[in-house]
Amino acid sequence: MRYSLLDGQRDLTLLIARVLLMILFVLSGWAKLTGFEGTVGYMSSLGAPVPMAAAAVAVIMEFFVAIVLILGFYTRPLALLFALFVLGTALLGHPFWSMVEPARAANMTQFFKNLSIVGGLLALAVSGPGRFSLDGR
């Protein structure tokens, strides 16, 4: 009775959660894909050891895997993989602990935003995608 507002809405809520978790990545991944040369340059500026490979991984994860997660296909393992990817991007892309203000504050926010997304992805990995998904068929 305490959760009656969500009773019967589990599958719809999981669909909405998948879309909301991934829309940021689809948009970012599309920008990285269509501006791939700039993405490689950005990876170089971060000190990625193989910038072209790092850019390719970012595009694959942020655009293609994000779309697959929205569709709810191989949701549990891909949500775990995506959680590791987002954790890695937080550690490599937002090292606020080695920065000074104002970059420190901005990157700390981005770092903890990434950790929040990791939490959502772990919840998705545990709960599964719900009925409105390719996995649910």
Side-chain angles (χ1 to χ4, degrees), residues 64-88:
F64 296 104
V65 174
I67 289 172
V68 171
L69 279 170
I70 287 172
L71 296 173
F73 188 63
Y74 283 98
T75 304
R76 290 174 191 252
L78 288 179
L80 285 174
L81 178 65
F82 214 97
L84 291 174
F85 170 76
V86 173
L87 179 60

Side-chain angles (χ1 to χ4, degrees), residues 71-125:
L71 296 173
F73 188 63
Y74 283 98
T75 304
R76 290 174 191 252
L78 288 179
L80 285 174
L81 178 65
F82 214 97
L84 291 174
F85 170 76
V86 173
L87 179 60
T89 62
L91 293 169
L92 296 173
H94 305 293
F96 68 91
W97 51 89
S98 65
M99 298 177 173
V100 295
E101 296 300 340
R104 177 179 165 80
N107 277 275
M108 186 166 73
T109 298
Q110 293 300 313
F111 179 86
F112 284 106
K113 172 207 50 132
N114 280 28
L115 290 187
S116 297
I117 293 168
V118 168
L121 288 162
L122 292 175
L124 184 60

Side-chain angles (χ1 to χ4, degrees), residues 7-136:
D7 284 350
Q9 301 304 316
R10 179 182 185 277
D11 295 315
L12 179 60
T13 302
L14 285 167
L15 171 62
I16 292 168
R18 291 195 326 267
V19 171
L20 293 177
L21 275 169
M22 292 295 109
I23 193 69
L24 166 72
F25 294 102
V26 171
L27 296 173
S28 177
W30 177 252
K32 284 177 173 69
L33 177 62
T34 58
F36 192 74
E37 203 171 296
T39 303
V40 173
Y42 177 67
M43 294 300 171
S44 293
S45 77
L46 291 177
V50 185
M52 187 163 297
V57 167
V59 167
I60 290 166
M61 292 299 295
E62 291 184 22
F63 187 68
F64 296 104
V65 174
I67 289 172
V68 171
L69 279 170
I70 287 172
L71 296 173
F73 188 63
Y74 283 98
T75 304
R76 290 174 191 252
L78 288 179
L80 285 174
L81 178 65
F82 214 97
L84 291 174
F85 170 76
V86 173
L87 179 60
T89 62
L91 293 169
L92 296 173
H94 305 293
F96 68 91
W97 51 89
S98 65
M99 298 177 173
V100 295
E101 296 300 340
R104 177 179 165 80
N107 277 275
M108 186 166 73
T109 298
Q110 293 300 313
F111 179 86
F112 284 106
K113 172 207 50 132
N114 280 28
L115 290 187
S116 297
I117 293 168
V118 168
L121 288 162
L122 292 175
L124 184 60
V126 169
S127 68
R131 184 172 47 118
F132 303 129
S133 65
L134 293 176
D135 287 346

